[in-house]
Structure formats: C-alpha cells, structure tokens
Amino acid sequence: QRLDLSDRVQALGQLGLSEALRQTGARDDALAAIDEAIRLVPNFAPAYLSRAAVRLSLDAPSGAIADASQAIDLDRRNPAGYLLRAEAYLREGLPAFALGDLDEAVTIAPNVAHIRLVRAYANLALERTDRALSDANVALKLEPDMVSAYLLRTRIYMRIGQFARAGANAGRAVDLAPDDRAAQDAATIAYTELARFEPARRAADKLVALAPANPDALNARCWVLALTTDPASALADCDAAIAA
C-alpha cells in the first residue's frame, strides 16, 4: 500500500535519489529528480543547492549561478549557496564576483576549510598573493592534512619565487597523497626549479606511471630529463607528448 507522504517529504526523497544517481554518474537522471523535488516544493532551498552542484559538475556554470542565487534568496544564512555561486563564478573567470560571495560565506562559517581554500584561489586569481596565502594557511590550521591546500601553497610560493617553500609544500602533498597526479606534478615542477633532479625524476616517473598516455605528464618528465646530464633520454618522452 502506498504511503500518503507530504510534498516536502517526497521532495526530500527525490533529493536523496538525486544524490544516489549522481554518485553512479547518472547526472541527467539526477537533475530530473531534483526538478521533481522543485515541482513538489517550488521554494525548497536545498533543491536549488543540489541542482547548482549538479550543474557545476556538468560544466554548466551559468545554470549553477542561477540556482545558487535562488537558494541564497530563499536562505541567506546558509554558506553553501554563496560557496556554490562563487565556484561557478570562478569557472566563468569572474574572481571578483566570487570573492564577494566567499567573503559572505566566511562571515557565516569562518571555520570551514574548503571555503577558505576557494577564497584563496579567488584571491590568487586577483593577484592578491598575501591574502591567498593567509587563507591557505587558515585552511591548513583547520584541516592539517588538506592536500589541496598544500598544492595551492606550492603554487603561491612558486609564483613569488620562494622555491624552497614550494618544494616543501609539494613534498608534503606527495607524502599525504602519493597517487595524486596534481601532487606529483607540483613536486616535479618545484624540485626542477630547485635543481633537485633526483626527487624531480622520481616524481615525474610516478606521474607518468599514474597517467602513461597523458601529454602533460610526459612533458613534465621530458623537461626533467632534458635538464640532466643525459638530455638525449628526454626525446622519447618529448616525442610521446607531442604525439599525444
């Protein structure tokens, strides 16, 4: 016998279904489930947040901005709406717009590491390296094993020419996530800048092992090998990168 559920409970059920579908990769079906939740409860902020997240995963930032804006209008004290809209603005190449939303999100939830990290990216995009570094540092105080924060600090230190600090942060990221391609790539670049070719070669070898046909991985090892005493050994990777 079918239960007589309220529209709101049914809408929550559709959001649960949407999340399950999204985890299986059925993102179009996930969107359809969210649309049904919104049909049942048109002013349901969590549904708009969910649809913004799915649209962002589908590389549809303009739609994500619209949905996140609707969620913000319905619930201005939830930092998730500001965060999602900021991530969509960053995807659209609008870091100044993102920063306004992230400032609001930090005011509401100052101790959420991910919000701090995204604001660091926005500040870096606006060439505010000091503020970017400050946010990355706060993120790591909140979550000391946050690999993405170490990678961002690597990028910041590389940009301002502090290569030793960049290498230390890249090394920490590799220690925490040895199978993370971004970590191995950052380590390859940082160690190469420091002329530490042995650890750079190890990181490049690992990077290629993780992605044997990836042109960026092959190109990274090509550069490391080209700077050693046997640059001819770089040619195989260079050729493979060009072919890819």
Side-chain angles (χ1 to χ4, degrees):
Q1 184 177 359
R2 185 173 181 178
L3 294 175
D4 183 20
L5 301 176
S6 70
D7 287 347
R8 187 176 181 86
V9 172
Q10 290 186 59
L12 284 169
Q14 289 296 321
L15 292 188
L17 173 62
S18 171
E19 181 59 27
L21 290 167
R22 184 164 62 150
Q23 290 181 9
T24 66
R27 290 179 292 187
D28 289 339
D29 292 336
L31 275 178
I34 298 170
D35 290 342
E36 176 61 14
I38 292 172
R39 186 191 69 78
L40 289 164
V41 185
N43 294 324
F44 195 28
Y48 289 101
L49 289 174
S50 293
R51 195 164 68 179
V54 174
R55 283 180 164 168
L56 201 56
S57 73
L58 290 167
D59 199 23
S62 59
I65 289 168
D67 279 329
S69 297
Q70 183 69 22
I72 291 167
D73 287 342
L74 292 167
D75 184 3
R76 292 191 173 275
R77 295 303 301 167
N78 188 342
Y82 298 102
L83 175 61
L84 280 166
R85 191 166 69 178
E87 291 179 324
Y89 279 140
L90 287 173
R91 195 78 61 85
E92 290 276 60
L94 299 168
F97 283 31
L99 193 59
D101 277 342
L102 291 162
D103 287 344
E104 189 68 32
V106 168
T107 299
I108 298 168
N111 295 323
V112 177
H114 182 66
I115 295 174
R116 294 283 187 164
L117 183 71
V118 178
R119 192 170 73 169
Y121 273 106
N123 275 311
L124 188 60
L126 291 167
E127 302 295 334
R128 299 173 177 177
T129 52
D130 289 346
R131 294 182 185 182
L133 188 57
S134 176
D135 272 327
N137 290 341
V138 172
L140 282 170
K141 285 182 180 178
L142 293 167
E143 291 188 23
D145 292 339
M146 194 177 195
V147 173
S148 52
Y150 284 109
L151 292 177
L152 181 56
R153 284 209 311 198
T154 301
R155 183 174 171 183
I156 294 168
Y157 285 130
M158 291 283 288
R159 182 171 293 191
I160 62 179
Q162 295 188 20
F163 299 117
R165 289 185 173 181
N169 278 269
R172 180 61 177 149
V174 166
D175 289 342
L176 289 168
D179 292 332
D180 187 298
R181 283 170 53 184
Q184 295 293 347
D185 185 52
T188 302
I189 296 169
Y191 290 145
T192 301
E193 289 288 349
L194 288 165
R196 294 177 58 190
F197 296 119
E198 282 304 315
R201 171 66 185 271
R202 288 196 297 271
D205 285 344
K206 179 67 173 180
L207 182 60
V208 173
L210 291 168
N214 183 274
D216 291 328
L218 292 163
N219 186 57
R221 192 167 67 179
C222 169
W223 275 102
V224 174
L225 293 173
L227 293 169
T228 65
T229 56
D230 184 21
S233 63
L235 287 174
D237 281 336
C238 296
D239 291 342
I242 291 168

